[in-house]
Amino acid sequence: MNASELPNSDHLNIAALSALFVHTTNSYKYLFFWSLLDILARQNFHKSLSISFREIIIEMLANAWYPHNYFKLSFGSQDKIADKLDTLALKVGEPILKFRDPDKKLLRTTIGEQDLEDIVNYITRYVPFRLLMPFMRKQLKGIDIDHGVDREMPKVAQLYFDTCKPLYCFDATVKTECRGIILHSEWVSYLQENYAIVRGWVCWEWLKYMQKCNPNVPAVANKLFPPQKRESLSSQTKYWKLVLQHTELRCIYSGTILTPNNISLDYYLPWSYVAHDRLWNLVPTLPEINSSKSNKLPNRVYFNNFVLQQHQGLTISCKIMGLPQWLKQIESYLMDLKISNSLDLLELEPLRAAYQSTIIPLTEIATRQGFEEW
């Protein structure tokens, strides 16, 4: 959504709010404000809410964990949030990895147990003070933006808190003594009343920034926030079990003969990279093999076996289903593999060429992102 679509107010400077992310070159402002919204919502928009810098940084790191550590997205070459996440010795359990921690409670607790003094000091050296600039430009006129704003902002925000109504002020008027922020009660009311719209705007701005940082990565929009739950693979499993009932299939990794009662669907390119459940990337394998492979990239030695098994599945399913139903089943193959003639899916070499032009570049990008090979 466009910033101009933020709900208006007779008492608050909405233009200043909409300018929060103008000329932003790193992730900090996005994560800081997004994290404030999450903390506010969790505290039921308490009017006199005071939030410590440490609590905000923990929330920022928790919000950044899934896109960076799980989905391997870049936040930009100069960004220190990603660097800090890489240095944390986090023992991340299954509830987090399986998206059963929707409120990020376990993730926040795990991060909060770490030594965060360096990243708290780094982020709060500038970010909380610069974020208020759109609200206080007139009052800071004549002050050197690069060297004086951060020093003067605590005093100015406090002085004009009731008249200019910035988003928040600080718990001290001397920068070196600031340890947190105090949100303006009228802004708390505004954010509560318009929470869904404001959060949608922040998410949109965050997406635009992350797409710039990850121009060649597929499905960036699906990797910025942890899904509330993973979609069921029941229809994809039904497809492969149908194929197995009519032909012999072997695990493409181990060579073991598969049976309909002992299979697990594997994402050839890991779900944490592609962020979708489309059939062209799913193959049956043994449950223990699938568990071992996890979210790793397959070695190239498995590529031919993968294509052969997909070709088997396509040819057998076409015979069983009949053409009309089969055409509905294979829509994602045509769209994602960029195949214009559906019958080319039944020819091994055109299918192999389509997979090669799709899989190989994606694998190279994933490798550069940091996905390990299996």
Side-chain angles (χ1 to χ4, degrees):
M1 65 176 286
N2 192 296
S4 63
E5 297 174 13
L6 288 173
N8 202 3
S9 169
D10 294 332
H11 309 291
L12 297 171
N13 188 348
I14 305 304
L17 179 67
S18 68
L20 285 185
F21 309 123
V22 174
H23 306 308
T24 301
T25 57
N26 53 48
S27 72
Y28 310 144
K29 287 183 180 179
Y30 300 103
L31 288 170
F32 193 94
F33 185 66
W34 167 20
S35 297
L36 282 185
L37 287 178
D38 282 0
I39 294 170
L40 270 171
R42 199 162 55 244
Q43 298 294 333
N44 295 315
F45 297 91
H46 195 281
K47 292 294 186 294
S48 58
L49 188 61
S50 175
I51 309 173
S52 72
F53 285 156
R54 180 179 171 82
E55 183 179 359
I56 297 169
I57 300 305
I58 290 172
E59 195 80 24
M60 289 173 69
L61 291 168
N63 280 328
W65 189 88
Y66 280 102
H68 178 69
N69 290 66
Y70 189 83
F71 292 111
K72 312 293 185 186
L73 295 184
S74 169
F75 289 177
S77 59
Q78 305 299 317
D79 200 280
K80 299 298 182 184
I81 288 284
D83 290 344
K84 184 59 182 179
L85 284 169
D86 290 339
T87 65
L88 297 181
L90 299 181
K91 295 181 180 179
V92 177
E94 186 172 285
I96 295 171
L97 294 174
K98 299 294 185 181
F99 310 113
R100 292 197 290 269
D101 184 30
D103 190 41
K104 309 184 298 290
K105 183 177 181 179
L106 292 175
L107 192 53
R108 290 197 311 274
T109 300
T110 303
I111 292 171
E113 294 169 350
Q114 304 285 308
D115 179 5
L116 304 176
E117 186 176 357
D118 58 341
I119 191 66
V120 171
N121 290 338
Y122 181 84
I123 296 297
T124 59
R125 183 181 178 186
Y126 299 114
V127 177
F129 311 104
R130 302 288 175 93
L131 198 68
L132 286 190
M133 273 296 296
F135 297 91
M136 311 301 301
R137 287 193 187 280
K138 183 178 178 181
Q139 290 70 28
L140 291 165
K141 188 175 181 181
I143 296 175
D144 186 343
I145 292 179
D146 291 327
H147 301 99
V149 164
D150 311 307
R151 183 183 66 250
E152 297 297 323
M153 186 64 81
K155 291 181 288 186
V156 174
Q158 180 66 46
L159 183 61
Y160 293 97
F161 196 57
D162 294 324
T163 53
C164 293
K165 302 177 183 178
L167 188 61
Y168 51 78
C169 66
F170 301 90
D171 59 6
T173 56
V174 179
K175 179 186 175 184
T176 54
E177 297 176 0
C178 293
R179 293 292 179 268
I181 64 172
I182 302 168
L183 287 143
H184 197 291
S185 61
E186 291 189 37
W187 275 112
V188 174
S189 297
Y190 174 88
L191 294 173
Q192 180 177 19
E193 184 178 348
N194 302 289
Y195 176 73
I197 297 174
V198 175
R199 199 174 194 281
W201 166 66
V202 174
C203 292
W204 174 246
E205 295 295 326
W206 177 231
L207 170 60
K208 290 193 294 183
Y209 171 77
M210 290 297 282
Q211 284 181 325
K212 289 180 183 178
C213 294
N214 301 271
N216 298 314
V217 175
V220 171
N222 296 335
K223 300 175 180 179
L224 300 185
F225 314 97
Q228 295 304 301
K229 64 177 182 177
R230 290 277 293 273
E231 295 296 326
S232 167
L233 296 178
S234 58
S235 64
Q236 297 92 326
T237 301
K238 182 179 179 181
Y239 167 87
W240 280 110
K241 284 187 174 183
L242 181 67
V243 173
L244 273 165
Q245 290 170 4
H246 293 81
T247 190
E248 179 182 280
L249 292 179
R250 292 179 178 269
C251 170
I252 68 171
Y253 305 112
S254 66
T256 305
I257 294 176
L258 300 171
T259 66
N261 297 324
N262 189 33
I263 63 167
S264 176
L265 289 193
D266 169 62
Y267 295 84
Y268 186 71
L269 296 177
W271 183 88
S272 55
Y273 177 60
V274 295
H276 64 66
D277 304 314
R278 291 173 187 150
L279 196 56
W280 65 265
N281 188 50
L282 290 164
V283 286
T285 186
L286 297 173
E288 58 269 26
I289 295 288
N290 194 11
S291 178
S292 175
K293 179 172 176 282
S294 186
N295 66 337
K296 294 182 175 66
L297 292 167
N299 187 286
R300 283 199 181 192
V301 298
Y302 301 116
F303 177 75
N304 283 334
N305 288 345
F306 169 69
V307 175
L308 286 170
Q309 189 169 95
Q310 285 286 355
H311 182 254
Q312 256 187 299
L314 289 164
T315 52
I316 295 296
S317 62
C318 184
K319 292 177 183 177
I320 300 167
M321 295 178 178
L323 192 58
Q325 184 182 350
W326 182 77
L327 288 174
K328 293 180 182 178
Q329 187 77 55
I330 52 87
E331 284 181 357
S332 70
Y333 286 85
L334 301 177
M335 181 172 61
D336 294 347
L337 300 182
K338 297 179 175 59
I339 295 176
S340 56
N341 185 352
S342 59
L343 296 181
D344 282 347
L345 294 174
L346 304 176
E347 300 293 331
L348 181 57
E349 290 313 312
L351 182 65
R352 190 196 310 276
Y355 264 115
Q356 189 154 3
S357 64
T358 302
I359 292 283
I360 302 305
L362 288 175
T363 302
E364 290 173 350
I365 295 170
T367 300
R368 291 197 295 271
Q369 277 189 257
F371 282 88
E372 297 178 7
E373 187 179 89
W374 186 80

